Amino acid sequence: MVLVVDDDQQFIHMMELRLKPLGYEIDFALDGKSGLEKAKSVEPDLILLDVMMPKIDGFDVCKILKSDERYDHIPVILVTAMAREKDLELIREIKADAFITKPFEHSVLVEKIQELLKRNKTVPKKGQSNLTSNPLSSLSIKK
């Protein structure tokens, strides 16, 4: 299951439209606090986490999850509208598994989700997509 944490309901709906046909189960939260609570209660296979949100921002949610050995195995992709150098340093510090800058190519996001889930051996049951990566995308992954 992919947990989408974002205060933009249109973004959540768009992720549902893109990921459900590929066999992914989707759950969501509309702010950082409820996203953190949901992540701890349902233990998703992957979290797609907006950075700028009310109550608790995505950086803090990721930091809390990655500092707890019960949840540090859950891949986190941070979604941000900005990627300043200090943000990139923070992303590395809090151990996010990947980040993507809005706007982005949906095929690149889907490919990264599949890669992280395969790494965690939690690939969805339905068929896989043959989408290819866009080398011009701003998607990054930690090594």
Side-chain angles (χ1 to χ4, degrees):
M1 186 262 292
V2 175
L3 176 60
V4 181
V5 184
D6 199 307
D7 57 336
D8 180 352
Q9 291 184 8
Q10 287 181 327
F11 180 79
I12 291 170
H13 182 67
M14 182 176 55
M15 290 298 95
E16 274 188 310
L17 291 175
R18 300 283 181 160
L19 298 176
K20 277 190 174 184
L22 297 174
Y24 295 99
E25 215 179 299
I26 306 296
D27 201 349
F28 67 92
L30 294 171
D31 62 66
K33 183 178 181 203
S34 61
L36 182 60
E37 291 167 357
K38 191 165 276 194
K40 289 181 174 184
S41 67
V42 302
E43 292 192 44
D45 299 314
L46 182 135
I47 301 171
L48 191 56
L49 181 61
D50 187 30
V51 169
M52 296 177 59
M53 287 184 296
K55 299 186 182 177
I56 304 175
D57 70 30
F59 290 132
D60 287 340
V61 172
C62 183
K63 184 177 181 180
I64 291 166
L65 290 171
K66 292 296 187 176
S67 65
D68 188 325
E69 66 183 25
R70 293 173 293 178
Y71 311 107
D72 65 354
H73 65 282
I74 301 171
V76 175
I77 300 175
L78 290 175
V79 180
T80 180
M82 57 188 167
R84 300 173 302 208
E85 188 58 38
K86 71 177 188 173
D87 295 326
L88 299 177
E89 289 176 29
L90 184 55
I91 288 167
R92 284 188 284 274
E93 284 176 27
I94 62 175
K95 300 179 183 169
D97 297 278
F99 77 95
I100 190 165
T101 305
K102 293 178 185 178
F104 55 84
E105 294 285 331
H106 294 283
S107 62
V108 175
L109 176 62
V110 168
E111 188 174 273
K112 191 52 58 185
I113 289 171
Q114 290 173 339
E115 179 184 327
L116 290 170
L117 290 175
K118 283 180 186 177
R119 184 186 301 165
N120 267 17
K121 297 180 179 23
T122 55
V123 178
K125 293 175 183 148
K126 287 190 181 178
Q128 294 292 314
S129 173
N130 289 330
L131 300 174
T132 57
S133 178
N134 178 349
L136 301 176
S137 168
S138 60
L139 187 65
S140 298
I141 185 163
K142 82 173 185 186
K143 295 291 180 186

